[in-house]
Amino acid sequence: MRPVVLTPGEREQPAWIPADTLREVRERAADGATVLVRLPAPLDAALAAAAVYRRAGAGVFVTEHTDQVRLALEMTDCLSGTRPPALTRRGLA
């Protein structure tokens, strides 16, 4: 499932289950639920939290920094092997 990134004012689906801690995210994601997390306001904290929560199984993120968080989530998915990279290059030495 591709991650969903929302701004704080956007409407959330009732099927999304909110989680506040990393442990809750892991437990609820292991149960097969679509987990929603709200990210902190500072950009650096939001990016770090998004990557960690994504690796733990969260699928919906609410943040003020939608574009930056979306890029961080795509990078996290590429590094974890769940999404192919958008561009690959072969380096010749």
Coordinates of all heavy atoms in Angstrom, one line a residue:
M1 N 0.8 -1.2 0.0 CA 0.0 0.0 0.0 C 0.9 1.2 0.0 O 1.8 1.4 0.8 CB -0.9 0.0 1.3 CG -1.7 1.2 1.4 SD -2.5 1.2 3.0 CE -2.8 3.0 3.2
R2 N 0.6 2.1 -0.9 CA 1.3 3.4 -0.9 C 0.9 4.3 0.2 O -0.3 4.3 0.6 CB 1.0 4.1 -2.3 CG 1.7 3.4 -3.4 CD 1.7 4.2 -4.6 NE 2.6 5.4 -4.4 CZ 2.9 6.2 -5.3 NH1 2.4 6.1 -6.5 NH2 3.7 7.2 -5.1
P3 N 1.7 5.0 0.8 CA 1.4 5.8 2.0 C 0.5 7.0 1.5 O 0.5 7.5 0.4 CB 2.7 6.3 2.5 CG 3.6 6.2 1.4 CD 3.2 5.1 0.6
V4 N -0.4 7.4 2.4 CA -1.3 8.5 2.2 C -0.8 9.7 3.1 O -0.6 9.5 4.3 CB -2.8 8.2 2.6 CG1 -3.7 9.4 2.4 CG2 -3.2 7.0 1.7
V5 N -0.6 10.9 2.5 CA -0.2 12.0 3.3 C -1.3 13.1 3.2 O -1.7 13.5 2.2 CB 1.2 12.6 2.7 CG1 1.6 13.7 3.6 CG2 2.2 11.5 2.7
L6 N -1.7 13.5 4.4 CA -2.8 14.5 4.5 C -2.3 15.7 5.3 O -1.4 15.7 6.1 CB -4.0 13.9 5.3 CG -4.6 12.6 4.8 CD1 -5.6 12.1 5.8 CD2 -5.2 12.8 3.4
T7 N -3.0 16.9 5.0 CA -2.7 18.1 5.8 C -3.7 18.0 7.0 O -4.7 17.2 7.0 CB -3.0 19.3 5.0 OG1 -4.4 19.3 4.6 CG2 -2.1 19.5 3.8
P8 N -3.4 18.7 8.1 CA -4.2 18.6 9.3 C -5.7 18.9 9.1 O -6.5 18.4 9.8 CB -3.6 19.7 10.2 CG -2.1 19.7 9.8 CD -2.2 19.5 8.3
G9 N -6.1 19.7 8.1 CA -7.5 19.9 7.9 C -8.2 18.9 7.0 O -9.5 19.0 6.9
E10 N -7.5 18.0 6.4 CA -8.2 17.1 5.5 C -9.0 16.0 6.2 O -8.7 15.7 7.4 CB -7.2 16.4 4.5 CG -6.6 17.4 3.5 CD -5.7 16.7 2.5 OE1 -6.3 16.0 1.6 OE2 -4.5 16.8 2.6
R11 N -10.0 15.5 5.5 CA -10.9 14.5 6.1 C -10.2 13.1 6.2 O -9.6 12.7 5.3 CB -12.1 14.4 5.3 CG -13.2 13.6 5.9 CD -14.4 13.6 5.2 NE -15.4 12.6 5.8 CZ -16.6 12.4 5.3 NH1 -17.0 13.1 4.3 NH2 -17.4 11.6 5.9
E12 N -10.4 12.5 7.4 CA -9.8 11.2 7.6 C -10.9 10.1 7.5 O -12.1 10.4 7.7 CB -9.2 11.1 9.0 CG -8.1 12.1 9.3 CD -7.7 12.2 10.7 OE1 -8.2 11.4 11.5 OE2 -6.9 13.1 11.1
Q13 N -10.5 8.9 7.1 CA -11.5 7.8 6.9 C -11.7 7.2 8.2 O -10.8 7.0 9.0 CB -10.9 6.8 5.9 CG -10.7 7.3 4.5 CD -11.9 7.7 3.8 OE1 -13.0 7.0 4.0 NE2 -11.9 8.8 3.0
P14 N -13.0 6.8 8.5 CA -13.2 6.1 9.8 C -12.5 4.8 10.0 O -12.3 4.3 11.1 CB -14.7 5.9 9.8 CG -15.3 6.5 8.5 CD -14.1 7.0 7.7
A15 N -12.1 4.1 8.9 CA -11.4 2.8 9.0 C -10.0 2.9 9.4 O -9.4 2.0 9.8 CB -11.5 2.1 7.6
W16 N -9.4 4.1 9.3 CA -8.0 4.3 9.7 C -7.9 4.4 11.2 O -8.7 5.1 11.9 CB -7.5 5.6 9.2 CG -7.4 5.7 7.7 CD1 -7.4 4.6 6.8 CD2 -7.4 6.8 6.8 NE1 -7.3 5.0 5.5 CE2 -7.3 6.4 5.5 CE3 -7.4 8.2 7.1 CZ2 -7.3 7.2 4.4 CZ3 -7.3 9.0 6.0 CH2 -7.2 8.6 4.7
I17 N -7.0 3.6 11.8 CA -6.9 3.5 13.3 C -5.7 4.4 13.7 O -4.6 4.1 13.3 CB -6.7 2.1 13.7 CG1 -7.9 1.3 13.2 CG2 -6.5 2.0 15.2 CD1 -7.9 -0.2 13.5
P18 N -6.0 5.4 14.5 CA -4.9 6.3 15.0 C -4.0 5.6 16.0 O -4.4 4.7 16.8 CB -5.6 7.5 15.6 CG -6.9 7.0 16.0 CD -7.3 5.9 15.0
A19 N -2.7 5.9 16.0 CA -1.7 5.4 16.9 C -0.8 6.6 17.4 O -0.5 7.5 16.6 CB -0.9 4.3 16.3
D20 N -0.4 6.5 18.6 CA 0.4 7.6 19.2 C 1.8 7.2 19.4 O 2.7 8.1 19.5 CB -0.2 8.1 20.5 CG -1.6 8.8 20.2 OD1 -1.7 9.4 19.2 OD2 -2.5 8.6 21.1
T21 N 2.1 5.9 19.6 CA 3.5 5.5 19.9 C 3.9 4.5 18.8 O 3.1 3.9 18.1 CB 3.5 4.8 21.3 OG1 2.7 3.6 21.3 CG2 3.1 5.8 22.4
L22 N 5.2 4.2 18.8 CA 5.8 3.3 17.9 C 5.3 1.9 18.2 O 5.0 1.1 17.2 CB 7.3 3.3 17.9 CG 8.1 2.5 16.9 CD1 7.7 3.0 15.5 CD2 9.6 2.7 17.1
R23 N 5.1 1.6 19.4 CA 4.6 0.2 19.8 C 3.2 0.0 19.3 O 2.8 -1.0 18.8 CB 4.6 0.1 21.3 CG 4.2 -1.2 21.8 CD 4.3 -1.3 23.3 NE 3.9 -2.6 23.7 CZ 3.9 -3.0 25.0 NH1 4.3 -2.2 25.9 NH2 3.5 -4.2 25.3
E24 N 2.3 1.1 19.4 CA 0.9 1.0 18.9 C 0.9 0.8 17.4 O 0.1 0.0 16.9 CB 0.2 2.2 19.3 CG -0.2 2.3 20.8 CD -0.9 3.6 21.1 OE1 -1.2 4.4 20.2 OE2 -1.3 3.8 22.3
V25 N 1.8 1.5 16.7 CA 1.8 1.4 15.3 C 2.2 -0.1 14.9 O 1.5 -0.7 14.0 CB 2.9 2.4 14.7 CG1 3.1 2.1 13.2 CG2 2.4 3.8 14.9
R26 N 3.2 -0.6 15.5 CA 3.6 -2.0 15.2 C 2.5 -3.0 15.5 O 2.2 -3.9 14.7 CB 4.9 -2.4 16.0 CG 6.1 -1.7 15.5 CD 7.3 -2.3 16.3 NE 8.5 -1.6 15.8 CZ 9.5 -1.2 16.5 NH1 9.4 -1.2 17.8 NH2 10.5 -0.6 16.0
E27 N 1.9 -2.9 16.6 CA 0.8 -3.8 17.0 C -0.4 -3.7 16.1 O -0.9 -4.7 15.6 CB 0.4 -3.6 18.4 CG 1.4 -4.0 19.5 CD 1.1 -3.5 20.9 OE1 0.0 -2.8 21.1 OE2 1.8 -3.9 21.8
R28 N -0.8 -2.5 15.8 CA -2.0 -2.4 14.9 C -1.7 -2.7 13.5 O -2.6 -3.3 12.8 CB -2.5 -0.9 15.1 CG -3.1 -0.7 16.5 CD -3.5 0.7 16.8 NE -4.0 0.7 18.1 CZ -4.2 1.8 18.8 NH1 -4.0 3.0 18.2 NH2 -4.7 1.8 20.0
A29 N -0.5 -2.4 13.0 CA -0.1 -2.8 11.6 C 0.0 -4.3 11.5 O -0.4 -4.9 10.5 CB 1.2 -2.1 11.2
A30 N 0.5 -5.0 12.6 CA 0.6 -6.4 12.6 C -0.8 -7.1 12.5 O -1.0 -8.2 12.0 CB 1.3 -6.9 13.8
D31 N -1.8 -6.4 13.0 CA -3.2 -6.9 13.0 C -3.8 -6.7 11.7 O -5.0 -7.1 11.4 CB -4.0 -6.2 14.1 CG -3.6 -6.7 15.5 OD1 -3.0 -7.8 15.6 OD2 -3.9 -5.9 16.5
G32 N -3.2 -5.9 10.8 CA -3.7 -5.7 9.4 C -4.5 -4.4 9.3 O -5.1 -4.1 8.3
A33 N -4.4 -3.5 10.3 CA -5.1 -2.3 10.3 C -4.4 -1.2 9.5 O -3.1 -1.3 9.4 CB -5.4 -1.8 11.7
T34 N -5.1 -0.3 8.9 CA -4.4 0.9 8.3 C -4.2 1.9 9.4 O -5.2 2.5 9.9 CB -5.3 1.5 7.2 OG1 -5.6 0.5 6.2 CG2 -4.7 2.7 6.5
V35 N -3.0 2.2 9.7 CA -2.6 3.0 10.9 C -2.4 4.4 10.5 O -1.7 4.7 9.5 CB -1.4 2.4 11.6 CG1 -1.0 3.2 12.8 CG2 -1.6 0.9 11.9
L36 N -3.0 5.4 11.2 CA -2.8 6.8 11.0 C -2.0 7.4 12.1 O -2.2 7.1 13.3 CB -4.2 7.5 11.0 CG -4.2 9.0 10.9 CD1 -5.3 9.4 10.0 CD2 -4.4 9.6 12.3
V37 N -1.0 8.2 11.8 CA -0.1 8.9 12.7 C -0.1 10.4 12.4 O -0.2 10.8 11.2 CB 1.3 8.3 12.8 CG1 1.3 6.9 13.4 CG2 2.0 8.4 11.4
R38 N -0.1 11.2 13.4 CA 0.1 12.6 13.3 C 1.5 13.0 13.6 O 2.0 12.6 14.7 CB -0.9 13.3 14.2 CG -2.3 13.2 13.8 CD -3.3 13.8 14.8 NE -4.7 13.7 14.3 CZ -5.4 12.6 14.4 NH1 -4.9 11.5 14.9 NH2 -6.6 12.6 13.9
L39 N 2.2 13.7 12.7 CA 3.6 14.0 12.8 C 3.8 15.3 13.5 O 2.9 16.2 13.4 CB 4.2 13.9 11.4 CG 4.1 12.6 10.7 CD1 4.7 12.8 9.3 CD2 4.8 11.5 11.4
P40 N 4.9 15.5 14.2 CA 5.2 16.7 14.8 C 5.4 17.9 13.8 O 5.7 17.7 12.6 CB 6.5 16.5 15.6 CG 7.1 15.2 15.0 CD 6.0 14.5 14.3
A41 N 5.3 19.1 14.3 CA 5.3 20.3 13.4 C 6.7 20.6 12.8 O 6.7 21.0 11.7 CB 4.8 21.5 14.2
P42 N 7.8 20.6 13.6 CA 9.1 20.9 12.9 C 9.4 19.9 11.8 O 9.2 18.7 11.9 CB 10.1 20.8 14.1 CG 9.3 20.8 15.4 CD 7.9 20.3 15.0
L43 N 9.9 20.5 10.7 CA 10.2 19.7 9.5 C 11.1 18.5 9.8 O 10.9 17.4 9.4 CB 10.7 20.5 8.4 CG 11.1 19.8 7.1 CD1 9.9 19.1 6.5 CD2 11.7 20.7 6.1
D44 N 12.3 18.7 10.5 CA 13.2 17.7 10.7 C 12.6 16.6 11.6 O 12.8 15.4 11.3 CB 14.5 18.2 11.3 CG 14.3 19.0 12.6 OD1 13.2 19.3 12.9 OD2 15.3 19.3 13.3
A45 N 11.8 16.9 12.6 CA 11.2 15.9 13.4 C 10.1 15.1 12.6 O 10.0 13.9 12.8 CB 10.6 16.6 14.6
A46 N 9.4 15.8 11.8 CA 8.4 15.2 11.0 C 9.0 14.2 10.0 O 8.4 13.1 9.8 CB 7.5 16.2 10.2
L47 N 10.1 14.5 9.4 CA 10.7 13.6 8.4 C 11.3 12.4 9.1 O 11.1 11.2 8.6 CB 11.9 14.3 7.7 CG 11.4 15.5 6.8 CD1 12.7 16.2 6.2 CD2 10.5 15.0 5.7
A48 N 11.9 12.6 10.3 CA 12.4 11.4 11.0 C 11.3 10.5 11.5 O 11.4 9.3 11.4 CB 13.3 11.9 12.2
A49 N 10.3 11.1 12.1 CA 9.2 10.3 12.6 C 8.4 9.6 11.4 O 8.1 8.4 11.6 CB 8.2 11.2 13.3
A50 N 8.3 10.2 10.3 CA 7.6 9.6 9.2 C 8.4 8.3 8.7 O 7.8 7.3 8.5 CB 7.5 10.6 8.0
A51 N 9.7 8.4 8.6 CA 10.5 7.3 8.2 C 10.4 6.1 9.2 O 10.2 5.0 8.8 CB 12.0 7.7 8.0
V52 N 10.5 6.4 10.5 CA 10.4 5.4 11.5 C 9.0 4.8 11.5 O 8.9 3.5 11.6 CB 10.8 6.0 12.9 CG1 10.5 5.0 14.0 CG2 12.2 6.4 12.9
Y53 N 8.0 5.6 11.5 CA 6.6 5.0 11.5 C 6.3 4.2 10.3 O 5.6 3.2 10.3 CB 5.6 6.2 11.7 CG 5.5 6.7 13.1 CD1 5.4 8.1 13.3 CD2 5.4 5.9 14.2 CE1 5.3 8.6 14.6 CE2 5.3 6.4 15.5 CZ 5.3 7.7 15.7 OH 5.2 8.2 17.0
R54 N 6.8 4.6 9.1 CA 6.6 3.9 7.9 C 7.2 2.5 8.0 O 6.6 1.5 7.6 CB 7.1 4.7 6.7 CG 6.9 4.0 5.4 CD 5.4 3.9 5.1 NE 5.2 3.2 3.8 CZ 4.1 2.6 3.4 NH1 3.0 2.7 4.2 NH2 4.0 2.1 2.3
R55 N 8.4 2.4 8.5 CA 9.1 1.1 8.7 C 8.3 0.2 9.6 O 8.3 -1.0 9.5 CB 10.5 1.3 9.2 CG 11.5 1.8 8.1 CD 11.9 0.7 7.2 NE 12.7 -0.3 7.8 CZ 12.8 -1.6 7.4 NH1 12.3 -1.9 6.2 NH2 13.6 -2.4 8.0
A56 N 7.6 0.9 10.6 CA 6.9 0.1 11.6 C 5.5 -0.3 11.0 O 4.8 -1.1 11.7 CB 6.7 1.0 12.8
G57 N 5.1 0.2 9.9 CA 3.9 -0.2 9.3 C 2.8 0.8 9.1 O 1.7 0.5 8.7
A58 N 3.0 2.1 9.5 CA 2.0 3.1 9.4 C 1.7 3.4 7.9 O 2.6 3.3 7.1 CB 2.4 4.4 10.1
G59 N 0.5 3.7 7.5 CA 0.1 3.9 6.2 C -0.5 5.3 5.9 O -0.5 5.7 4.7
V60 N -0.9 6.0 6.9 CA -1.5 7.3 6.7 C -0.8 8.3 7.7 O -0.7 8.1 8.8 CB -3.0 7.3 7.0 CG1 -3.7 8.7 6.8 CG2 -3.7 6.3 6.2
F61 N -0.4 9.5 7.1 CA 0.4 10.5 7.8 C -0.3 11.8 7.7 O -0.7 12.2 6.6 CB 1.8 10.5 7.3 CG 2.5 9.2 7.3 CD1 2.3 8.3 6.3 CD2 3.3 8.9 8.4 CE1 3.0 7.0 6.4 CE2 3.9 7.7 8.5 CZ 3.8 6.7 7.5
V62 N -0.5 12.5 8.9 CA -1.0 13.8 8.9 C 0.1 14.8 9.3 O 0.7 14.7 10.3 CB -2.2 13.9 9.9 CG1 -2.7 15.4 9.9 CG2 -3.3 13.0 9.5
T63 N 0.4 15.8 8.4 CA 1.5 16.7 8.6 C 1.3 18.0 7.9 O 0.5 18.0 6.9 CB 2.8 16.1 8.2 OG1 3.9 17.0 8.4 CG2 2.8 15.7 6.7
E64 N 2.0 19.0 8.3 CA 1.9 20.3 7.6 C 2.9 20.3 6.4 O 2.8 21.1 5.5 CB 2.3 21.4 8.6 CG 1.4 21.6 9.7 CD 1.9 22.6 10.7 OE1 3.0 23.1 10.6 OE2 1.1 22.8 11.7
H65 N 3.8 19.4 6.4 CA 4.9 19.3 5.4 C 4.6 18.1 4.4 O 5.4 17.2 4.3 CB 6.3 19.1 6.0 CG 6.5 20.1 7.2 ND1 6.8 21.4 7.0 CD2 6.5 19.8 8.5 CE1 6.9 22.0 8.2 NE2 6.7 21.0 9.1
T66 N 3.6 18.2 3.6 CA 3.1 17.1 2.8 C 4.1 16.7 1.8 O 4.4 15.5 1.6 CB 1.8 17.4 2.2 OG1 1.9 18.6 1.4 CG2 0.7 17.5 3.2
D67 N 4.7 17.6 1.0 CA 5.6 17.3 -0.1 C 6.9 16.7 0.4 O 7.3 15.6 -0.1 CB 5.9 18.5 -0.9 CG 4.7 19.1 -1.7 OD1 3.8 18.3 -1.9 OD2 4.7 20.3 -2.0
Q68 N 7.5 17.3 1.5 CA 8.7 16.7 2.0 C 8.5 15.4 2.6 O 9.3 14.5 2.5 CB 9.3 17.7 3.0 CG 9.7 19.1 2.5 CD 8.6 20.1 2.6 OE1 7.4 19.8 2.6 NE2 8.9 21.4 2.6
V69 N 7.4 15.2 3.4 CA 7.1 13.9 4.0 C 6.9 12.8 2.9 O 7.3 11.7 3.1 CB 6.0 14.0 5.0 CG1 5.5 12.7 5.4 CG2 6.4 14.8 6.2
R70 N 6.2 13.2 1.9 CA 5.9 12.2 0.8 C 7.2 11.7 0.2 O 7.4 10.5 0.0 CB 5.0 12.8 -0.3 CG 4.5 11.9 -1.3 CD 3.5 12.4 -2.2 NE 2.2 12.6 -1.5 CZ 1.7 13.8 -1.2 NH1 2.2 14.9 -1.6 NH2 0.5 13.8 -0.6
L71 N 8.2 12.6 0.0 CA 9.5 12.2 -0.6 C 10.2 11.3 0.4 O 10.9 10.3 0.0 CB 10.3 13.5 -0.9 CG 9.9 14.2 -2.1 CD1 10.7 15.5 -2.2 CD2 10.1 13.4 -3.4
A72 N 10.2 11.7 1.7 CA 10.8 10.8 2.7 C 10.2 9.4 2.8 O 10.9 8.4 3.0 CB 10.8 11.5 4.1
L73 N 8.9 9.3 2.6 CA 8.2 8.1 2.7 C 8.6 7.2 1.4 O 8.8 6.0 1.5 CB 6.7 8.2 2.8 CG 6.2 8.8 4.1 CD1 4.7 9.1 3.9 CD2 6.5 7.9 5.2
E74 N 8.7 7.9 0.3 CA 9.1 7.1 -0.9 C 10.5 6.6 -0.8 O 10.8 5.5 -1.2 CB 9.0 8.1 -2.2 CG 7.6 8.3 -2.6 CD 7.5 9.3 -3.7 OE1 8.5 9.8 -4.2 OE2 6.3 9.6 -4.1
M75 N 11.4 7.4 -0.2 CA 12.8 7.0 0.0 C 12.8 5.8 1.0 O 13.6 4.9 0.8 CB 13.6 8.2 0.5 CG 15.1 7.8 0.8 SD 16.1 9.1 1.5 CE 15.4 9.2 3.1
T76 N 12.1 5.9 2.0 CA 12.0 4.8 3.0 C 11.5 3.5 2.4 O 12.1 2.5 2.6 CB 11.1 5.2 4.2 OG1 11.6 6.4 4.8 CG2 11.0 4.1 5.3
D77 N 10.5 3.6 1.6 CA 10.0 2.4 0.9 C 11.0 1.8 -0.1 O 11.2 0.6 -0.2 CB 8.7 2.7 0.1 CG 7.5 2.9 1.1 OD1 7.6 2.5 2.3 OD2 6.5 3.3 0.6
C78 N 11.8 2.7 -0.8 CA 12.8 2.2 -1.7 C 14.0 1.6 -0.9 O 14.4 0.5 -1.3 CB 13.4 3.4 -2.5 SG 12.3 4.0 -3.8
L79 N 14.4 2.1 0.2 CA 15.5 1.6 1.0 C 15.1 0.3 1.6 O 15.9 -0.6 1.8 CB 15.9 2.6 2.0 CG 16.7 3.8 1.5 CD1 16.9 4.8 2.6 CD2 17.9 3.4 0.8
S80 N 13.8 0.1 2.0 CA 13.3 -1.1 2.6 C 13.0 -2.2 1.6 O 12.7 -3.3 2.0 CB 12.1 -0.9 3.5 OG 11.0 -0.4 2.8
G81 N 13.0 -1.8 0.3 CA 12.7 -2.8 -0.7 C 11.3 -3.1 -1.1 O 11.0 -4.0 -1.8
T82 N 10.4 -2.2 -0.6 CA 9.0 -2.4 -0.9 C 8.5 -1.6 -2.1 O 7.4 -1.8 -2.5 CB 8.1 -2.0 0.4 OG1 8.4 -0.7 0.7 CG2 8.4 -2.9 1.5
R83 N 9.4 -0.8 -2.6 CA 9.1 0.0 -3.8 C 10.3 0.2 -4.6 O 11.4 0.4 -4.1 CB 8.6 1.4 -3.3 CG 8.3 2.4 -4.4 CD 8.0 3.8 -3.8 NE 7.6 4.7 -4.7 CZ 8.4 5.5 -5.4 NH1 9.7 5.4 -5.3 NH2 8.0 6.4 -6.3
P84 N 10.2 0.0 -5.9 CA 11.4 0.2 -6.8 C 11.8 1.6 -6.9 O 10.9 2.5 -6.8 CB 11.0 -0.4 -8.1 CG 9.5 -0.3 -8.1 CD 9.0 -0.4 -6.7
P85 N 13.0 2.0 -7.0 CA 13.4 3.4 -7.2 C 12.8 4.0 -8.4 O 12.6 3.3 -9.4 CB 14.9 3.3 -7.2 CG 15.3 1.9 -7.4 CD 14.1 1.1 -7.1
A86 N 12.6 5.3 -8.4 CA 12.1 6.0 -9.5 C 13.1 6.0 -10.7 O 12.7 6.0 -11.9 CB 11.6 7.4 -9.1
L87 N 14.3 6.0 -10.4 CA 15.4 6.2 -11.4 C 16.6 5.4 -10.9 O 17.0 5.5 -9.8 CB 15.7 7.7 -11.6 CG 16.9 8.0 -12.6 CD1 16.5 7.6 -14.0 CD2 17.2 9.4 -12.5
T88 N 17.2 4.6 -11.8 CA 18.4 3.9 -11.5 C 19.4 4.3 -12.5 O 19.1 4.5 -13.7 CB 18.2 2.4 -11.5 OG1 17.7 2.0 -12.7 CG2 17.2 2.0 -10.4
R89 N 20.7 4.3 -12.1 CA 21.8 4.7 -13.0 C 22.9 3.7 -12.6 O 23.1 3.4 -11.5 CB 22.3 6.1 -12.8 CG 21.2 7.1 -13.2 CD 21.8 8.4 -13.3 NE 20.7 9.3 -13.7 CZ 20.7 10.6 -13.5 NH1 21.7 11.2 -12.8 NH2 19.7 11.4 -13.9
R90 N 23.6 3.4 -13.7 CA 24.8 2.5 -13.5 C 26.0 3.3 -13.6 O 26.2 4.0 -14.6 CB 24.8 1.4 -14.6 CG 25.9 0.5 -14.4 CD 25.8 -0.7 -15.4 NE 27.0 -1.5 -15.3 CZ 27.5 -2.2 -16.2 NH1 26.8 -2.2 -17.4 NH2 28.6 -2.9 -16.1
G91 N 26.8 3.3 -12.6 CA 28.0 4.1 -12.6 C 29.2 3.3 -13.2 O 29.4 2.2 -12.9
L92 N 29.9 4.0 -14.1 CA 31.1 3.3 -14.7 C 32.3 4.1 -14.2 O 32.4 5.3 -14.2 CB 31.0 3.4 -16.2 CG 29.8 2.7 -16.9 CD1 29.8 3.0 -18.3 CD2 29.9 1.2 -16.6
A93 N 33.2 3.3 -13.6 CA 34.5 3.9 -13.1 C 35.5 4.0 -14.1 O 35.7 3.3 -15.0 CB 35.0 3.1 -11.9

